Amino acid sequence: MSFNLATMLRESRQARPDKPMCHFADTSFSYAQVDEISGRVANGLRALGLERGDKVAVHLPNVPQFLFTYFGILKAGLTMVPLNPLLRAPEIAYHLDDSDAKLLVTFESFADEALRGARQVAGVTTYVVTSPSGAGLPAGTVHYDELCSGEDTGEIEPTDADDTAALLYTSGTTGRPKGAELTHFQLYMNCTVAGELFGFREDDVAVAVLPLFHVFGLSSVLNACVRYGGTMALVPRFEQESVLDAVERHGCTVFSGVPTMYVALLSADTSGRDLRSLRVGVSGGAAIPGEVIRAFEERFPGVVVLEGYGLSETASTTTFNTSAEARKVLSIGRPIWGVQVRVVDENDEELPPGPDHVGEIVVRGHNVMKGYYKRPEATAEAFRNGWFHTGDLAYADEDGYLFVVDRKKDLIIRGGYNVYPREVEEVLFTHPAVAEAAVVGRPHERLGEDVLAYVALKPGASATPEEIAAYCKDRVAAYKYPREVRLVDALPKGPTGKILKKALRSQS
Amino acid sequence: MSFNLATMLRESRQARPDKPMCHFADTSFSYAQVDEISGRVANGLRALGLERGDKVAVHLPNVPQFLFTYFGILKAGLTMVPLNPLLRAPEIAYHLDDSDAKLLVTFESFADEALRGARQVAGVTTYVVTSPSGAGLPAGTVHYDELCSGEDTGEIEPTDADDTAALLYTSGTTGRPKGAELTHFQLYMNCTVAGELFGFREDDVAVAVLPLFHVFGLSSVLNACVRYGGTMALVPRFEQESVLDAVERHGCTVFSGVPTMYVALLSADTSGRDLRSLRVGVSGGAAIPGEVIRAFEERFPGVVVLEGYGLSETASTTTFNTSAEARKVLSIGRPIWGVQVRVVDENDEELPPGPDHVGEIVVRGHNVMKGYYKRPEATAEAFRNGWFHTGDLAYADEDGYLFVVDRKKDLIIRGGYNVYPREVEEVLFTHPAVAEAAVVGRPHERLGEDVLAYVALKPGASATPEEIAAYCKDRVAAYKYPREVRLVDALPKGPTGKILKKALRSQS
């Protein structure tokens, strides 16, 4: 029973060899080229002594080398361990050590930091550096061009469908980052089913600005694109102008992003641009405020924003709002094909529908990871009673649509009452001066926790903290409104654009 | 990583609960009903003490109970062992013993023979008999109604994607019947990919006359139908009138059959019938003569006949002609998505294209079985060099279309020259009086083998054996034409309608 995810690339290449698979800056690579170059990478990896099942760390931004390396790894029957290019040396060392990586592929501009980390780890013996500027490489490293200097034999290792294709590091609900083992089968199923849900077609051009090292970008953008034979426009870093340039230049039709990206695009100057090619926005990674969807669709006519939900552990799409007609704004939608989702109480008993029945989201199906690499206890804990426990709190409505109220760990308990930060954030977003908002708990002697809001105002707008607090007070129950509002220039964000509540809590 | 094939039924039920999943005689069952009844069967099987991975033999014709039992078995995490209802007691005993079946589900009219076989096998402890006529059951058996008298808990066992869903017995290229282990993943992939290739849609109604115990009916008809939410019209036995009645009554759109069925339908009286609902004929199981495709499409305007190729071991579709535009008549088409097919010589070296390069078809991909149950040696022999060896001889053309010249074991070697019976049969079929034809080898003292043809004439047609032999002599090389032509009323056929060359050879 052999199945290798790289089959998707080969099949799309056979069907349309000369079609561009990706655009990047002033260059493009056709399906035939990506298949060919990744074949040479596979050959190079084998020549370096790597054997089926070995792990290769990929520390690259959204550049064509990410694609070549990813498919090269798959074709050679190896496992990709993608790392955030912004990790610092000690973090890199931790990930390399934990994943048993044998080789690190990094990028010129991050190489110093990466190598400082890698040299602390005994198991990593080879460092490959891409050097677009052509500058000299650090000692003891192999140039990327050398890695792909050999032949493309066309061979794709016949891995088993349940072999691990990628180890994706995630902090999960607790503890240090753990590697979620995602198989060839899961990643195939996820991009196939999810791509179908948002109608990914051969003639789609996707903006690839979500980092490809993250499951959302990897599955919903890269894999979906290759599965359906579309084209990607690689954007290495989120900036309003780069995204809008990509859309205009390449006629992009699909934009996948996290809510903060949608918020940022709302404040961009789009005058004089033709952005009418866009047809769909896929949102995930965090809850998107209803107000943002409304404003975005008004600003970009013809676009429908569809929200989904997923985790690294669920490879990624788990629920989705499939169309403008079928969606419910503020809901993460319904489970995708072949996936079961339940809302359960603390005893893992399924809860009835209704907003009064908030419980934890648990998942079962083809999308759920094999487990956390080398962590049987964390795996067993996450899979108790046969269901994967997400750590997210939600309720279902009568139609089976799910509404996330918050991350379990973000929940604020104020004087015995549950305050779901997201509910308060939704209210903050309706205030005309508010651009970004995050609500967190802070320790309180008598109440246990109290409610604190961080707000960034829109450029040129003005409002006092007191006005904003009063605005909330008028709109939510007394125990929920923020006792303090702090104005900031911008909220701290992680590499995928997700707001870092942990950082905010530490300031509180 | 859990995936259970029964997920297809559950998803289609959720999307369209009240839609008929099958028609049978005067009754219909909706998706909700099939999901519900099969859930009760699953419950009944668990109550009888069966545990995940246990084998259940299903000895049923194409009746609704086949569907209930199949999905009940899958939902309970068991493995189905489908048996040809026409097997005799010693054969039944062999299959039950070889598969380690714990339970046998049989049908009233075959029960005596089945139980005679089953009682010789120590491991089989329970016999379930469906009794549509309501007659009394043999001693020691459970009535099917009792099996499904419990509740439907809705539970689907979270099997692994690579757990064995069905053991399909096949003689393979040599020896006694062996059980090909097909997994949940393979059967899912095959019906998904193949169904897409012949454009299976929700509004399709498929004639289910191919036996469901055979991989062709199981995968291309039953699974494809459930996967895409269509409807099946069950026809328990192939008869021209029953098939045409089903098409007319239920507005069938898809007909899947073996070549002999197409030949039989050509000679049916269709006057006064409205058969215009038919849009596609899927042919497999044996080579369909080009002449038959031409005549069928002329006789049933609007229908396109698409030929595919597959085996029990390849779950089943392996190559396919995807449309009237893309097909090549006489070719089995090209490999389906995710499947690699090569033509190799005796040393497993790939052969170049062209009719002069006939070799064995070998296959690799998501559709290839795990192996033969409990037969590591036969498995290793079939999988040598990592490719599944089909035992079929073919060549490829420049466009990658494959042309089967014959089964390796059907090849006739006459005085050192290879004679591919199929080539001679194609010529026989162009003779205006010939309805059915089969060419086999017979021992010959000097030449090793000689060429012998069996022919059935069309009703009302006449031709002498000598005329037919002369007709061939004019059209093929001297060493190929049949030295003897025997006229028969009909050719012997197996349960799927395949001509039994073995039986013919034994008469020669």
Side-chain angles (χ1 to χ4, degrees):
Chain A
M1 194 185 79
S2 76
F3 180 71
N4 186 313
L5 194 58
T7 298
M8 303 197 302
L9 175 64
R10 178 61 48 82
E11 290 285 343
S12 286
R13 179 248 178 101
Q14 281 170 353
R16 47 193 87 78
D18 300 325
K19 184 173 177 182
M21 197 227 126
C22 74
H23 300 300
F24 176 70
D26 293 326
T27 56
S28 293
F29 292 89
S30 67
Y31 270 96
Q33 285 174 309
V34 176
D35 192 33
E36 159 97 23
I37 301 171
S38 62
R40 288 194 258 130
V41 171
N43 206 3
L45 292 169
R46 283 191 206 99
L48 288 169
L50 294 174
E51 287 173 8
R52 184 162 163 175
D54 282 346
K55 316 292 183 297
V56 177
V58 175
H59 182 246
L60 296 172
N62 288 9
V63 292
Q65 287 84 357
F66 191 104
L67 312 181
F68 309 150
T69 313
Y70 172 49
F71 287 110
I73 289 168
L74 294 175
K75 286 181 177 181
L78 311 171
T79 299
M80 172 173 76
V81 186
L83 301 179
N84 181 346
L86 299 180
L87 291 181
R88 307 307 303 264
E91 296 168 308
I92 287 174
Y94 169 80
H95 285 89
L96 294 175
D97 183 54
D98 190 78
S99 66
D100 299 315
K102 298 217 162 148
L103 186 139
L104 168 74
V105 181
T106 184
F107 199 68
E108 192 178 19
S109 40
F110 309 113
D112 286 345
E113 191 74 19
L115 294 175
R116 206 162 24 250
R119 289 189 172 121
Q120 298 166 30
V121 184
V124 187
T125 51
T126 316
Y127 320 113
V128 176
V129 181
T130 72
S131 168
S133 77
L137 295 190
T141 61
V142 174
H143 195 286
Y144 196 82
D145 291 346
E146 203 181 316
L147 182 72
C148 39
S149 62
E151 254 194 299
D152 172 26
T153 63
E155 182 66 13
I156 296 179
E157 178 77 19
T159 46
D160 276 346
D162 61 351
D163 282 351
T164 303
L167 265 191
L168 294 191
Y169 275 79
T170 166
S171 46
T173 49
T174 52
R176 298 201 74 177
K178 297 177 283 291
E181 295 199 59
L182 300 180
T183 68
H184 291 267
F185 166 69
Q186 279 158 359
L187 289 168
Y188 165 78
M189 285 297 278
N190 207 266
C191 71
T192 301
V193 172
E196 205 174 313
L197 285 178
F198 62 86
F200 208 106
R201 297 180 309 244
E202 195 180 334
D203 53 0
D204 273 318
V205 181
V207 181
V209 65
L210 283 168
L212 298 177
F213 69 78
H214 185 271
V215 74
F216 187 9
L218 183 69
S219 183
S220 296
V221 184
L222 169 51
N223 286 346
C225 184
V226 174
R227 170 70 181 86
Y228 290 102
T231 300
M232 301 164 73
L234 291 170
V235 180
R237 204 153 64 96
F238 181 83
E239 286 159 341
Q240 296 163 338
E241 297 306 307
S242 340
V243 168
L244 297 174
D245 284 350
V247 172
E248 203 169 13
R249 182 166 178 188
H250 303 298
C252 294
T253 57
V254 178
F255 174 75
S256 300
V258 292
T260 51
M261 292 179 181
Y262 287 89
V263 170
L265 289 175
L266 274 177
S267 65
D269 176 11
T270 55
S271 53
R273 286 188 183 270
D274 182 356
L275 305 165
R276 287 170 302 174
S277 57
L278 273 184
R279 65 170 187 86
V280 66
V282 177
S283 180
I288 186 162
E291 198 51 35
V292 174
I293 293 184
R294 198 199 50 72
F296 196 87
E297 293 182 354
E298 197 179 283
R299 183 69 182 282
F300 298 92
V303 176
V304 53
V305 178
L306 302 176
E307 186 177 5
Y309 164 83
L311 304 165
S312 298
E313 291 91 334
T314 60
S316 66
T317 311
T318 304
T319 66
F320 201 68
N321 280 288
T322 53
S323 66
E325 298 72 43
R327 78 176 168 191
K328 293 194 183 185
V329 170
L330 298 188
S331 165
I332 54 170
R334 288 188 289 192
I336 66 165
W337 195 98
V339 169
Q340 286 176 275
V341 175
R342 283 185 184 165
V343 173
V344 298
D345 66 15
E346 283 164 13
N347 303 314
D348 281 341
E349 296 291 336
E350 189 168 8
L351 290 167
D356 295 341
H357 300 289
V358 170
E360 185 172 2
I361 298 177
V362 296
V363 187
R364 204 161 77 166
H366 56 72
N367 63 333
V368 179
M369 66 168 181
K370 267 158 87 168
Y372 293 116
Y373 184 60
K374 295 194 303 186
R375 283 190 170 69
E377 285 171 27
T379 302
E381 169 61 16
F383 278 95
R384 56 193 185 278
N385 288 318
W387 291 75
F388 175 73
H389 287 63
T390 64
D392 284 317
L393 298 173
Y395 66 89
D397 71 8
E398 295 286 346
D399 303 324
Y401 283 77
L402 288 141
F403 294 77
V404 172
V405 294
D406 234 310
R407 292 286 294 166
K408 211 169 169 177
K409 64 181 177 188
D410 289 338
L411 176 68
I412 304 168
I413 306 180
R414 182 181 182 278
Y417 289 96
N418 286 354
V419 178
Y420 301 111
R422 199 193 150 188
E423 187 188 351
V424 185
E425 289 160 7
E426 284 286 340
V427 171
L428 285 165
F429 272 108
T430 64
H431 188 288
V434 171
E436 296 182 344
V439 169
V440 296
R442 64 170 166 194
H444 187 282
E445 208 173 322
R446 188 172 50 83
L447 296 165
E449 278 187 294
D450 198 2
V451 182
L452 168 65
Y454 287 87
V455 166
L457 297 181
K458 287 177 183 163
S462 73
T464 65
E466 295 70 28
E467 277 166 19
I468 294 172
Y471 180 85
C472 293
K473 194 177 173 183
D474 288 347
R475 287 165 174 82
V476 294
Y479 65 92
K480 292 179 184 170
Y481 79 89
R483 264 48 185 181
E484 187 189 342
V485 172
R486 291 188 188 166
L487 295 181
V488 291
D489 289 341
L491 293 171
K493 294 181 197 73
T496 58
K498 222 174 185 169
I499 291 166
L500 297 174
K501 293 217 167 172
K502 213 164 144 186
L504 292 174
R505 272 191 295 264
S506 69
Q507 294 166 25
S508 68
Chain B
M1 195 184 83
S2 77
F3 180 71
N4 186 314
L5 193 59
T7 298
M8 302 196 305
L9 175 63
R10 178 62 48 81
E11 291 286 342
S12 287
R13 179 246 178 102
Q14 282 170 353
R16 47 192 87 80
D18 301 324
K19 183 172 180 184
M21 196 225 126
C22 74
H23 301 300
F24 175 68
D26 293 326
T27 57
S28 291
F29 291 89
S30 68
Y31 271 97
Q33 286 174 309
V34 176
D35 192 32
E36 159 95 25
I37 301 171
S38 62
R40 290 195 257 128
V41 170
N43 207 3
L45 292 169
R46 285 192 205 97
L48 288 169
L50 293 174
E51 288 172 7
R52 184 162 162 175
D54 281 347
K55 315 293 183 297
V56 177
V58 175
H59 181 247
L60 295 172
N62 288 11
V63 292
Q65 286 85 356
F66 190 104
L67 311 182
F68 309 150
T69 313
Y70 172 50
F71 287 110
I73 288 169
L74 293 175
K75 286 180 178 183
L78 311 171
T79 299
M80 172 172 78
V81 185
L83 301 180
N84 181 346
L86 299 179
L87 292 181
R88 307 307 303 263
E91 296 167 308
I92 287 174
Y94 170 79
H95 285 89
L96 294 175
D97 183 53
D98 190 77
S99 65
D100 298 314
K102 297 217 162 148
L103 187 139
L104 168 75
V105 181
T106 184
F107 199 67
E108 193 179 17
S109 40
F110 309 113
D112 286 346
E113 191 74 19
L115 294 175
R116 208 166 18 253
R119 287 190 174 119
Q120 299 168 28
V121 183
V124 187
T125 51
T126 317
Y127 320 113
V128 176
V129 181
T130 72
S131 168
S133 77
L137 295 189
T141 62
V142 174
H143 195 287
Y144 196 82
D145 291 347
E146 206 182 313
L147 182 71
C148 40
S149 62
E151 256 194 296
D152 171 26
T153 62
E155 181 67 13
I156 296 179
E157 177 78 18
T159 45
D160 277 345
D162 61 352
D163 282 351
T164 303
L167 265 191
L168 294 191
Y169 275 80
T170 166
S171 45
T173 46
T174 51
R176 298 202 71 178
K178 296 177 283 289
E181 295 200 59
L182 299 180
T183 68
H184 291 266
F185 165 69
Q186 279 157 0
L187 288 168
Y188 164 79
M189 286 296 279
N190 206 265
C191 70
T192 301
V193 172
E196 204 174 311
L197 285 179
F198 62 85
F200 208 104
R201 299 180 307 244
E202 196 180 332
D203 52 0
D204 272 319
V205 182
V207 182
V209 64
L210 283 169
L212 298 177
F213 69 79
H214 185 271
V215 73
F216 187 10
L218 184 69
S219 183
S220 297
V221 183
L222 168 52
N223 286 346
C225 183
V226 173
R227 170 70 183 86
Y228 289 102
T231 301
M232 300 163 72
L234 291 169
V235 180
R237 204 152 63 93
F238 181 81
E239 288 159 341
Q240 295 164 338
E241 297 305 306
S242 339
V243 169
L244 297 173
D245 284 350
V247 172
E248 203 169 13
R249 185 168 174 184
H250 303 298
C252 294
T253 56
V254 178
F255 174 75
S256 300
V258 292
T260 52
M261 293 180 181
Y262 287 88
V263 170
L265 289 175
L266 274 178
S267 65
D269 176 12
T270 54
S271 53
R273 286 189 182 270
D274 181 357
L275 304 166
R276 286 170 302 175
S277 57
L278 273 184
R279 65 170 186 87
V280 66
V282 176
S283 180
I288 186 164
E291 197 51 35
V292 173
I293 294 184
R294 197 199 52 70
F296 196 87
E297 294 183 353
E298 195 178 286
R299 183 68 182 281
F300 298 92
V303 176
V304 52
V305 178
L306 302 176
E307 185 176 5
Y309 165 82
L311 305 166
S312 297
E313 291 92 332
T314 60
S316 59
T317 311
T318 303
T319 65
F320 201 68
N321 279 288
T322 54
S323 66
E325 298 71 44
R327 78 177 167 190
K328 293 195 183 184
V329 169
L330 299 187
S331 166
I332 54 170
R334 288 187 291 192
I336 66 166
W337 194 100
V339 169
Q340 287 176 275
V341 175
R342 284 186 183 166
V343 173
V344 299
D345 66 15
E346 283 164 14
N347 303 315
D348 281 339
E349 296 292 337
E350 189 168 8
L351 290 167
D356 295 341
H357 299 287
V358 170
E360 185 172 3
I361 297 177
V362 296
V363 187
R364 203 160 80 165
H366 57 72
N367 64 333
V368 178
M369 65 167 181
K370 266 158 87 169
Y372 294 116
Y373 184 60
K374 295 194 303 185
R375 283 190 169 68
E377 284 172 28
T379 302
E381 169 62 17
F383 278 94
R384 54 193 186 277
N385 289 318
W387 292 75
F388 175 73
H389 287 63
T390 63
D392 284 317
L393 298 175
Y395 65 89
D397 71 8
E398 294 287 346
D399 303 323
Y401 284 75
L402 288 140
F403 293 77
V404 173
V405 294
D406 235 307
R407 292 287 293 166
K408 210 167 168 178
K409 64 181 178 188
D410 289 338
L411 176 68
I412 303 167
I413 305 180
R414 183 181 182 278
Y417 288 97
N418 285 355
V419 179
Y420 301 112
R422 200 192 150 189
E423 186 190 352
V424 185
E425 289 159 9
E426 284 286 340
V427 171
L428 286 165
F429 273 108
T430 63
H431 188 287
V434 171
E436 296 181 347
V439 169
V440 296
R442 64 170 168 192
H444 186 282
E445 210 173 323
R446 189 172 49 83
L447 297 165
E449 277 186 295
D450 197 2
V451 182
L452 168 65
Y454 287 87
V455 166
L457 297 181
K458 287 179 186 165
S462 71
T464 64
E466 294 71 28
E467 277 164 21
I468 295 173
Y471 180 85
C472 293
K473 194 176 172 181
D474 288 348
R475 287 164 176 82
V476 294
Y479 65 93
K480 292 179 186 171
Y481 80 89
R483 263 47 185 181
E484 186 188 347
V485 172
R486 291 187 189 168
L487 295 181
V488 291
D489 289 340
L491 293 169
K493 295 181 197 73
T496 57
K498 219 173 184 169
I499 292 167
L500 297 174
K501 295 220 167 169
K502 212 165 144 184
L504 292 174
R505 273 192 292 263
S506 68
Q507 294 166 26
S508 67

